[in-house]
Amino acid sequence: MSELRIMDKDAGDLKVIWDKDNADEVEAARSQFDALLKKNFIAYTVDAKGEKGKITKKFDVSAEKIILIPEIMGG
Amino acid sequence: MVQYGSTTSTVSSGTSVTTWNYWITAGTTTTTTATSSVWHIWTTCGTTPILSEKELLEAQRVIAAQEREAAARQEQERAVHAEREKKARLLLKELLTEQQNKQLDDNGFFELTTVNSGNRYRVWRERSRNIELLDKEGKRVNRLCFHPKDYVHDYDTMAAQKLMLEYDEEEVKKVANYS
């Protein structure tokens, strides 16, 4: 199982889980991913330990975990 | 110049009250008189209760109900905040090492060293101006400020900052303010 973790200012952190062999779950996760990137969210893939991170612009169905953070600004 | 004028009237209860019920425009002969409603019950303070016992009980009931509603709302908000904090802390916990988690619990910050540049940062639990670039002795060289535009929980902010510092430090240099 893989998961999207979404930092949401209203609902708090959201989790979307998918099984790469389940087309419906994959499509739901991909759709969520694409919608948030359009809102300028930044996506990082990390392994199950939260390491080996990298930025991704494309939904990776085989990723273990994708973390979506809102757009960043200087303070 | 406009002033209030006053007069003495008798209202339905038979109580004599003084009311300000007409305007005087100084310097002219024009006077406008209007009919006023007066709260005559307030003029009998000391002899007749302001509210009847029934009215008083009703007012107390309404106030108590409003206080209960406010308390329930506050409790609900506290529960929502606690749930958000729990989820944000869980995500951050998953991204930090055991040592970093202990550092955060004990001191309110965690430190990281980036793989690419070898820079050492200290990330405090705050939304902004919470990151320090450290030298080899652990002394602060600079303070950095960057964070998500959205007001996410502090732990989410720290998670986002950790990911960017470790995996996109060049972007941090572009977007962050240094002081």
Side-chain angles (χ1 to χ4, degrees):
Chain A
M1 295 293 277
S2 305
E3 62 185 42
L4 283 183
R5 301 289 283 272
I6 302 160
M7 294 180 187
D8 186 285
K9 67 181 168 67
D10 299 317
D13 288 355
L14 302 172
K15 190 189 283 193
V16 178
I17 296 172
W18 76 90
D19 178 343
K20 65 180 179 183
D21 296 322
N22 183 321
D24 289 342
E25 289 180 5
V26 170
E27 191 45 43
R30 186 196 308 276
S31 162
Q32 185 84 300
F33 178 94
D34 291 342
L36 289 169
L37 255 62
K38 281 181 187 165
K39 291 182 181 175
N40 295 322
F41 273 62
I42 305 165
Y44 286 89
T45 56
V46 294
D47 66 14
K49 291 181 181 175
E51 297 171 351
K52 297 175 184 170
K54 64 175 183 182
I55 287 187
T56 181
K57 302 271 186 196
K58 193 177 171 189
F59 180 73
D60 179 0
V61 69
S62 60
E64 291 178 86
K65 191 182 293 184
I66 301 176
I67 300 168
L68 284 149
I69 66 175
E71 186 178 4
I72 295 293
M73 62 182 280
Chain B
M1 184 177 174
V2 178
Q3 297 175 319
Y4 282 111
S6 63
T7 190
T8 302
S9 316
T10 302
V11 293
S12 57
S13 64
T15 307
S16 179
V17 294
T18 300
T19 60
W20 288 347
N21 61 357
Y22 63 93
W23 298 91
I24 299 169
T25 306
T28 73
T29 56
T30 305
T31 301
T32 305
T33 305
T35 304
S36 297
S37 298
V38 292
W39 292 350
H40 62 271
I41 195 166
W42 286 15
T43 67
T44 56
C45 200
T47 56
T48 305
I50 292 174
L51 296 175
S52 69
E53 189 174 345
K54 188 180 173 186
E55 288 170 330
L56 187 62
L57 285 171
E58 177 59 16
Q60 286 173 338
R61 191 192 65 75
V62 170
I63 290 168
Q66 287 172 342
E67 286 175 348
R68 278 196 302 275
E69 281 176 24
R73 269 198 307 274
Q74 278 185 344
E75 183 54 39
Q76 194 177 11
E77 284 167 11
R78 267 197 295 271
V80 168
H81 180 78
E83 182 62 20
R84 289 180 65 179
E85 177 163 316
K86 188 178 160 188
K87 288 195 285 187
R89 183 64 184 94
L90 179 64
L91 175 60
L92 183 58
K93 187 177 180 182
E94 291 170 11
L95 293 175
L96 299 182
T97 64
E98 195 175 323
Q99 186 187 356
Q100 287 171 323
N101 275 308
K102 185 172 182 335
Q103 218 175 18
L104 178 56
D105 290 338
D106 291 348
N107 308 311
F109 66 79
F110 64 84
E111 290 181 5
L112 63 91
T113 302
T114 62
V115 177
N116 290 337
S117 66
N119 283 336
R120 182 177 162 196
Y121 295 95
R122 179 176 292 154
V123 182
W124 290 87
R125 184 187 163 176
E126 291 285 345
R127 170 169 165 79
S128 60
R129 291 177 52 79
N130 64 320
I131 302 170
E132 296 172 316
L133 173 63
L134 307 175
D135 65 15
K136 287 179 182 173
E137 281 75 43
K139 290 181 183 171
R140 187 175 78 215
V141 178
N142 270 321
R143 194 189 297 276
L144 286 73
C145 187
F146 69 95
H147 50 76
K149 275 187 177 176
D150 292 348
Y151 278 84
V152 294
H153 193 279
D154 284 351
Y155 287 139
D156 278 338
T157 296
M158 295 172 86
Q161 291 166 335
K162 181 207 184 275
L163 288 168
M164 286 200 70
L165 288 167
E166 287 194 325
Y167 305 118
D168 201 12
E169 198 177 9
E170 289 308 307
E171 183 63 22
V172 169
K173 288 175 183 171
K174 287 181 201 167
V175 74
N177 286 321
Y178 287 75
S179 57

